[in-house]
């Protein structure tokens, strides 16, 4: 039996397609669904099949992919033949256009859209093909006409769907080929042939070739910052209208809630706090809201009581003379300042001092939880109560004192020269904040106010139907308390999108809502914390561009109005940066995800310099900012610890950034230098460096580092996590030697010590696949996901699982949908649905 | 018959996935301090994330392996591995399944299947797996042809094929350059450029010399038994980076003796390059035989066997010249030594060197001193063949550095 006809799968990926394709995809899919309900297989599979679409007449052994076979039908078609010819050519070239950075496979999203666009074309074509095929089976002689028919049909379809765009036209023009060669094919003895072409269409074919071009925007290990714009982001714009009402809705709960929650918090605090240290984790219930600064009481207390407090506080907290230029506030100056500046602040176009009195529950964010002084929490509580009654006892001052230590330690920062001058003049009343030039002010505002949505639910709606989608219950911004408590709840339940929404509402309530960018505002500890949370969630969600957009008004986070000294009346006596250190770090890291790693490095180096300067000040016996305050020994030590840990965190970011830049030599050096700050992470860091070398391909150097790890491990004695680390490293070396069998065995050894180790489980399954044991591998991963979804519903595992589904069976979509259901039960709205490869 | 067949689907599905090395998952650390609004939450979320490194959550590069996400690029010299899975999608038992995987290149067709025997039967929902490997040796379009033939429950013989096309690209750009030393040594500079898009670890770049030469690699600096690469810590080549390797080739004595042998175009040897990329993905290439045009020496070749590199001012020093008759006839030579501006010869000029047969050479010790400091060129030797009355001039034979030995005292 001779088979003369067969399908050639050409992987198409021409660069030019990549821009338009993503936008087109949805349209196509929509069409296909409508057109052909008979197609049982899901989009993902269809894609595979699409690629097979180029059914070419091939002689058995001469596989010559020249375009002649295609050209003729194309010319018949009304649609742009040149373009499709170009397509053909690109076809040939395809691989060379693809650029793969091997570790990252960053190009896959370039490739993806093309395929999906092929998908659309093919599907449609498939439909037609079916009908035609049905109507005239076996009429070999007249089949040429069919293709013409096709063309006409296609043509009309194109007209009706103008909006589909030129891309589709190309496809349409191409599609006739599929059918035309088959009729044209002179196969008499070969009845199967006919069967092949229609068969090919409905039979879902999924291969890695198509996989390579699958529409994965997913870059689970994306070294390169592949920007993934959440679909819900765009979709959300529709919801924007109802969002518009939210602020007004919001303000109501916001205003009424504070007092109860505040007191609740303190209760929590009291329990959670004692003995907790800076870096200690605190329990989930422990609050993040607490009174750290006596200023918080301004609001209830009002101006008079406050003024009374200031001088005392001043004297007690800083019993020093401030002589260094670094000192921003003189002891003497603040004392008179409150009274005179008060009017100033009012005259300022800032409503915020009032906001200040507006009783937001989160009004005061800060330290107690982390306070090294166990007493403080309880004191804070009594303090608060006292404040509430406006009674002036000594307690508040003692609290203020201890808290101010913590505040000073955490808030310390070295502003740039210009900012420092402004702050000094504000402090010395040379001029009031009102006269600070507006370009020196920070005027943030939300840049988008649409709801973030829930991609999981959207997928369910699409694949599992409305009913199933309705069953999905996740917390939304509406379903939680409109406060920091609600925010925390959303974050911990992994509903980060909803949390972003909530930060938006809370910021709107603070006057920094949508469209408020560029309008003067005043900052509070809370507003900046909210911004920090918002930006970090956007980053976690890979919405880097949004984060950058909203980060932009903050400039370099060094403007005078971001320092406490700028608000002597609101925060009397408090000094340092309102911007949390973590936000500075985030701000510094952000550009690296947007293809600007150099800028990120610059910012990180700047942070490092300041950290070092502060450490130097501390070692010289000065306060963090260089002022001559005598610090108690334990406070100095706590400060040193804090700033060293911050320094090492900055170094980590630098190393990560260098790794993204593929500057491996510097990255390795930087990781190595972190060991001196974090000696307890020695094993992890050395192993990490070893893995970097494996990634480059330098197996020998990697082994050297792994040996160091083993030495460190032997010296320290048995430690579960270190033992697994050593084994894991060995397995990676085997892997790099193409020895998958031993790698697999070693991962299994890890599991003997630590049966629940998700990494070893996953990696063992991956090894099985390379050993040609797909079913086993699949079975293992599937079992893991079912037994312990908490650990294995992770995007990397799911990605592997869906990849194997695609390789295994033509019914992968059903299986993926089952995964989607599992995800829907457990995961929040921040789940990255792309790893399911359903779209 | 036709009708039925046309509607029938294949009972088996063929899937192919290229097995490039897996990649390590990287996570994106976002942290906060305990004092910030989220408190401990971010840290907790990161600890719970299975892909982070426990105890060092801010380390970006994790340990979780992820399967290849796309076909990627394949380069000459790398190994093409692929998973071929034939799955029985139907609900009937299929018999006599034969899966054949061939790779068609522009010049040949290779069979890659591990076994060519048919599988007796395949139950529903089970599959036949095969992992094929092939070291890619040609550039350009390759087509993987997978053919599946089987017999259905009803004894129908069925057959289908699938084609998977991919392009093999060139990974490296190699340029070479030869330098001829004053002696018979040849220096080879090889510029190797990484023209892929990923960093490349050069595991081995060596020159396999032809039978005429011995080779010394000049790519590491040896100090105290420890060879340090001249490339420092950069063990890898970034995309588009170029690296220069240097080799010194010395003719083996048996060939060096006969100067005539190394003349014209000679084969120097070939470069053998082994590289690795992501997680040990290996590639290996050899260049074609490198050839060089041996420099022409005319009829008589004068080379220096011994010469000091640094000499003292106005102090005579010895050099040894080697005079080789490269012509096809016997020569009778007379040597004259002409003093140049700074180079002064000692001894008698116009000396008879005697007869020199073709291919023969003689060693000639000479004494010379320089009257000027600095780098001085040894020049001014004249050889005259008395048979043909032809004079050969030898200038700029070599350079010596002339220093003043009293410099330090005078100062």
């Amino acid at each position: 039996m001779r088979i003369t006809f067969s399908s050639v799968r050409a992987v198409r990926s021409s660069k030019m397609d990549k821009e338009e394709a993503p936008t087109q995809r949805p349209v196509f899919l929509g069409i296909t669904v409508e057109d052909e309900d008979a197609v049982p297989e899901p989009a993902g599979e269809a894609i595979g099949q699409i690629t097979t679409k180029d059914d070419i007449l091939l002689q058995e052994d001469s596989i010559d992919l020249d375009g002649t076979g295609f050209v003729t039908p194309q010319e018949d078609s009304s649609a742009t033949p040149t373009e499709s010819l170009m397509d053909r050519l690109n076809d040939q070239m395809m691989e060379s256009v693809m650029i793969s950075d091997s570790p990252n496979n960053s190009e896959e999203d370039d490739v993806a859209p093309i395929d999906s666009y092929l998908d659309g074309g093919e599907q449609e074509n498939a439909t037609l093909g079916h009908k035609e095929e049905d109507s005239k089976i076996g009429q070999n002689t007249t089949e040429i006409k069919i293709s013409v028919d096709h063309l006409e049909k296609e043509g009309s379809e194109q007209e009706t769907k103008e909006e589909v765009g030129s891309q589709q036209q190309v496809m349409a023009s191409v599609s006739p080929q599929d059918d035309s060669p088959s009729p044209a094919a002179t196969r008499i003895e070969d009845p199967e042939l006919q069967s092949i072409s229609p068969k090919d269409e409905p039979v879902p074919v999924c291969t890695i070739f198509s996989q390579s071009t699958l529409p994965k925007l997913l870059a689970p290990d994306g070294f390169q910052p592949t920007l993934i714009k959440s679909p819900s982001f765009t979709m959300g714009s529709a919801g924007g209208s109802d969002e518009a009402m939210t602020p007004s809705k919001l303000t109501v709960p916001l205003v009424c809630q504070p007092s109860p929650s505040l007191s609740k918090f303190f209760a929590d605090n009291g329990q959670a706090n004692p003995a907790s240290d800076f870096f200690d984790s605190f329990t989930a219930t422990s609050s993040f809201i607490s009174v750290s600064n006596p200023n918080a009481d301004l609001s209830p207390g009002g101006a008079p009581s406050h003024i009374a407090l200031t001088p005392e506080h001043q004297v007690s907290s800083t019993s020093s003379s401030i002589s260094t230029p670094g000192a921003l506030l003189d002891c003497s100056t603040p004392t008179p300042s409150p009274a005179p500046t008060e009017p100033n602040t009012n005259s300022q176009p800032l409503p915020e001092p009032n906001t200040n009195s507006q009783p937001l529950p989160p009004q005061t964010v800060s330290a107690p939880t982390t306070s090294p002084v166990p007493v403080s929490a309880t004191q804070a509580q009594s303090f608060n109560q006292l404040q509430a009654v406006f009674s002036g006892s000594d307690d508040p001052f003692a609290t203020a004192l201890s808290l101010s230590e913590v505040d000073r330690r955490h808030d310390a920062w070295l502003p740039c020269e210009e900012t420092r001058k402004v702050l000094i003049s504000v402090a010395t009343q040379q001029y009031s904040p009102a006269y600070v030039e507006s370009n020196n002010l920070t005027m943030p505002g939300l840049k988008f106010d649409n709801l973030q949505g829930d991609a999981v639910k959207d997928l369910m709606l699409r694949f599992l139907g409305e009913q199933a989608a309705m069953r999905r219950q996740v917390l939304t911004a509406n379903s939680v308390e409109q406060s920091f408590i609600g925010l925390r709840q959303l974050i911990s339940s992994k509903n980060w999108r909803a949390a972003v929404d909530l930060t938006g509402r809370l910021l709107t309530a603070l006057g920094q809502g949508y469209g408020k960018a560029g309008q003067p505002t005043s900052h509070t500890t809370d507003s900046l914390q909210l911004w920090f949370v918002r930006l970090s969630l956007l980053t976690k969600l890979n919405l880097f561009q949004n984060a950058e957009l909203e980060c932009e008004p903050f400039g370099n986070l060094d403007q005078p109005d971001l320092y406490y000294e700028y608000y002597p009346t609101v925060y009397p006596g408090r000094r340092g940066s309102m911007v949390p250190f973590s936000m500075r770090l985030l701000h510094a890291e952000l550009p690296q995800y947007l293809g600007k790693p150099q800028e990120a490095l610059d910012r990180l180096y700047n942070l490092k310099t300041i950290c070092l300067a502060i450490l130097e000040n501390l070692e010289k016996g000065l306060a963090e900012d260089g002022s001559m305050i005598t610090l108690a020994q334990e406070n100095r030590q706590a400060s040193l610890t804090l700033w060293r840990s911050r320094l090492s965190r900055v170094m980590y970011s630098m190393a990560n950034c260098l790794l993204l830049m593929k500057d491996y030599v510097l990255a390795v050096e930087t990781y190595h230098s972190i060991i001196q700050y974090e000696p307890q992470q020695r094993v992890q860091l050395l192993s990490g460096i070893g893995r970097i070398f494996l990634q480059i391909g330098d197996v020998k150097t990697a082994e050297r580092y792994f040996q160091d790890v083993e030495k460190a491990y032997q010296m320290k004695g048995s430690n579960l996590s270190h033992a697994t680390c050593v084994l894991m490293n060995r397995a990676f070396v085997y892997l790099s030697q193409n020895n998958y069998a031993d790698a697999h065995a070693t991962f299994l050894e890890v599991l003997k010590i630590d049966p629940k180790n998700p990494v070893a489980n996953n990696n063992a399954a991956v090894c099985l696949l390379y050993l040609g044991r797909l079913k086993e591998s699949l079975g293992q991963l599937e079992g893991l996901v079912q037994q312990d979804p908490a650990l294995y519903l992770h995007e990397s595992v799911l990605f592997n699982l869906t990849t194997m589904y695609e390789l295994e069976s033509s019914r992968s979509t059903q299986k993926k949908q089952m995964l989607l259901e599992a995800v829907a039960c457990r995961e929040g709205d921040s789940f990255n649905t792309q790893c399911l490869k359903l779209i | 018959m036709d009708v039925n067949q046309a509607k029938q689907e294949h009972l088996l599905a063929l899937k192919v996935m290229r097995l490039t090395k897996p990649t390590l998952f990287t996570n994106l650390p976002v942290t906060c301090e305990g004092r910030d609004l989220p408190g401990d939450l971010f840290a907790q979320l990161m600890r719970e994330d299975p892909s982070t490194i426990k105890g060092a959550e801010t380390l970006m590069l994790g340990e979780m392996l992820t399967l290849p996400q796309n076909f990627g690029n394949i380069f000459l010299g790398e190994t093409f591995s692929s998973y071929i899975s034939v799955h029985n999608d139907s609900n009937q038992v299929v018999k006599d399944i034969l899966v054949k995987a061939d790779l068609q290149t522009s010049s040949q067709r290779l069979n890659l299947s591990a076994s060519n025997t048919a599988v007796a039967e395949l139950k529903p929902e089970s599959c036949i797996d095969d992992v094929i490997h092939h070291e890619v040796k040609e550039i350009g379009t390759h087509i993987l042809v997978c053919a599946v033939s089987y017999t259905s429950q009803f004894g129908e013989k069925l057959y289908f094929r699938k084609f998977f096309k991919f392009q093999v690209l060139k990974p490296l750009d190699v340029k070479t350059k030869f330098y001829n030393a004053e002696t018979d040594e040849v220096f080879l500079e090889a510029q190797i450029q990484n023209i892929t898009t990923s960093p490349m670890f050069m595991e081995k770049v060596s020159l396999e010399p032809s039978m005429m030469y011995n080779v010394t690699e000049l790519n590491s600096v040896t100090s105290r038994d420890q060879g340090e690469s001249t490339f420092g810590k950069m063990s890898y080549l970034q995309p588009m980076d170029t690296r220069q390797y240097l080799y010194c080739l010395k003719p083996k004595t048996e060939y060096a003796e006969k100067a005539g042998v190394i003349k014209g175009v000679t084969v120097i040897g070939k470069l053998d390059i082994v590289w690795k990329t992501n997680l040990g993905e290996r590639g290996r290439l050899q260049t074609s035989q490198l050839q060089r045009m041996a420099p022409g020496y005319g009829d008589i070749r004068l080379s220096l066997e011994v010469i000091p590199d640094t000499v003292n001012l106005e102090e005579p020093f010895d050099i040894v010249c080697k005079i080789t008759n490269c012509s096809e006839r016997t020569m009778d030579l007379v040597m004259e030594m002409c003093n140049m501006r700074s180079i002064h010869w000692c001894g008698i000029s116009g000396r008879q060197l005697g007869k020199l047969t073709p291919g023969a050479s003689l060693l000639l010790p000479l004494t010379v001193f320089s009257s000027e400091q600095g780098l001085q060129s040894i020049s001014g030797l004249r050889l005259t063949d008395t048979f043909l009355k032809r004079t050969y001039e030898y200038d700029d034979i070599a350079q010596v550095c002339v220093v003043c030995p009293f410099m330090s005292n005078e100062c």
Side-chain angles (χ1 to χ4, degrees), chain A residues 65 92 100 195 199 205-206 208 212 216 221 407 582 646 662 735 770 775 800 809-811, chain B residues 5 8 10 15-18 20-21 26 33 35-36 69 71 89 125 162 165 167 197 238:
Chain A
L65 290 182
Q92 306 273 30
S100 99
S195 70
K199 194 183 296 175
V205 182
C206 213
I208 202 59
S212 66
K216 311 146 220 138
D221 69 336
D407 283 346
S582 317
R646 284 182 171 179
K662 303 195 172 170
L735 202 70
Y770 283 81
K775 286 274 184 193
N800 288 340
S809 154
S810 314
R811 305 197 180 87
Chain B
Q5 295 252 324
Q8 186 187 14
H10 272 287
K15 305 285 179 65
V16 174
M17 166 172 164
R18 180 182 168 199
T20 46
K21 289 274 181 160
T26 47
E33 292 178 353
R35 205 168 176 267
D36 293 326
Q69 296 156 43
F71 184 83
D89 280 350
E125 289 303 310
K162 272 187 189 168
K165 189 176 75 159
Q167 295 289 333
T197 45
Q238 291 281 21

Side-chain angles (χ1 to χ4, degrees), chain B residues 97-359:
Chain B
I97 307 102
L98 182 63
V99 184
K100 217 177 114 197
D102 286 354
L103 190 66
Q104 172 82 48
T105 70
S106 53
S107 70
Q108 55 180 335
R109 189 178 181 121
L110 303 151
N111 178 21
L112 301 182
S113 305
S115 74
N116 285 317
T117 52
V119 177
E121 64 168 39
L122 191 65
K123 296 202 176 81
E125 289 303 310
S126 48
C127 55
I128 300 172
D129 302 285
D130 192 9
V131 179
I132 54 163
H133 301 282
H134 169 67
E135 192 184 326
V136 175
K137 289 176 179 149
E138 275 180 71
I139 281 188
T141 309
H142 285 56
I143 300 163
L144 180 67
V145 184
C146 295
V148 180
S149 65
Y150 61 97
T151 311
S152 75
Q153 216 174 7
F154 313 107
E156 256 180 312
K157 294 244 176 229
L158 293 160
Y159 176 87
F160 67 94
R161 288 204 299 179
K162 272 187 189 168
F163 297 83
F164 304 94
K165 189 176 75 159
F166 57 93
Q167 295 289 333
V168 174
L169 307 175
K170 204 175 125 187
L172 297 170
D173 197 26
V174 181
K175 291 180 188 139
T176 54
K177 206 171 174 184
F178 289 106
Y179 300 88
N180 298 306
E182 291 140 0
T183 55
D184 280 338
E185 288 170 334
V186 182
F187 289 89
L188 168 66
E189 179 193 341
Q191 295 193 351
I192 297 180
Q193 186 178 25
N194 172 7
I195 52 173
T196 72
T197 45
S198 57
M200 205 182 237
F201 168 66
M202 306 308 283
E203 189 168 81
K204 176 180 148 196
V205 179
S206 67
L207 182 66
E208 287 176 6
S210 69
M211 53 185 284
M212 284 186 284
Y213 292 95
N214 285 320
V215 69
T216 320
E217 301 200 6
L218 302 175
N219 302 310
S220 61
V221 183
T222 318
S223 60
R224 282 174 289 122
D225 292 343
Q226 271 196 316
E228 193 194 331
S229 162
T230 48
F231 308 112
K233 290 180 192 162
M234 295 285 281
S235 57
Y236 63 98
L237 269 178
Q238 291 281 21
M240 301 319 284
D241 275 5
T242 305
R243 197 183 255 193
Q244 271 114 322
Y245 288 87
L246 190 61
Y247 301 91
C248 173
L249 292 138
K250 271 194 186 127
K252 290 181 182 163
T253 41
E254 60 265 37
Y255 294 98
E257 291 294 297
K258 296 173 267 174
V261 175
I262 303 179
K263 201 187 252 182
V265 178
T266 51
V267 173
I268 294 283
K270 53 187 176 184
L271 282 169
D272 188 6
I273 304 165
V274 179
W275 73 89
K276 279 187 178 161
T277 53
N278 179 37
L279 284 185
E281 189 97 64
R282 185 175 176 271
R284 182 179 177 194
L285 280 185
Q286 275 189 341
T287 62
S288 53
Q289 287 288 352
L290 302 172
Q291 293 181 326
R292 81 155 178 155
M293 188 66 177
Y297 298 115
D299 292 339
I300 311 170
R301 179 178 177 207
L302 187 142
S303 56
L304 280 171
E305 292 289 292
V306 178
I307 182 169
D309 50 4
T310 309
V311 295
N312 286 335
L313 186 66
E314 294 174 359
E315 209 171 89
F317 57 92
D318 296 323
I319 60 173
V320 177
C321 294
K322 183 180 180 186
I323 294 164
T324 311
N325 180 357
C326 298
S327 72
E328 304 295 318
R329 59 198 156 77
T330 304
M331 291 190 183
D332 187 21
L333 295 173
V334 172
M335 177 155 84
E336 285 174 68
M337 302 178 291
C338 314
N339 285 347
M340 308 305 275
R341 202 165 55 92
S342 60
I343 293 290
H344 308 273
W345 297 95
C346 308
I348 306 155
S349 182
R351 194 165 14 148
Q352 289 282 345
L353 299 179
K355 287 202 175 65
L356 205 58
T357 51

Side-chain angles (χ1 to χ4, degrees), chain A residues 14-21 83 86-87 90 97 167:
Chain A
S14 56
K15 232 180 192 168
M16 59 177 208
D17 292 338
K18 78 178 170 199
E19 279 93 28
E20 43 254 87
E83 224 178 315
M86 277 306 292
D87 252 16
N90 281 334
V97 178
Q167 283 293 341

Side-chain angles (χ1 to χ4, degrees), chain A residues 435-494:
Chain A
Y435 302 121
V436 173
E437 284 175 47
S438 66
N439 59 5
N440 281 339
L441 292 176
T442 313
M443 296 176 284
L446 303 186
K447 290 291 169 85
F448 53 95
D449 64 348
N450 47 332
L451 287 170
Q452 291 294 305
D454 176 6
V456 178
K457 191 164 187 169
D458 296 339
L459 264 190
M460 293 177 79
L461 212 59
R462 194 150 127 198
F463 289 99
L464 307 175
E466 210 164 312
Q467 280 200 325
M470 291 308 284
R471 285 201 299 272
R472 174 160 164 89
Q473 293 294 329
V474 283
L475 290 176
T476 63
N478 284 325
S479 55
V480 296
E481 198 177 321
Q482 305 295 303
S483 70
F484 284 13
I485 308 169
L487 193 53
R488 272 191 64 129
Q489 221 177 320
L490 290 176
I491 294 173
S492 63
S493 60
K494 292 201 198 165

Side-chain angles (χ1 to χ4, degrees), chain A residues 32 34 102 225 233 268 274 333 566 663 673:
Chain A
T32 36
E34 279 169 46
S102 68
F233 178 38
D268 281 355
T333 51
Y566 191 79
D663 191 335
S673 68

Side-chain angles (χ1 to χ4, degrees), chain A residues 19-30:
Chain A
E19 279 93 28
E20 43 254 87
T23 43
Q24 302 237 343
R25 191 189 338 141
V27 181
F28 278 114
L29 286 172

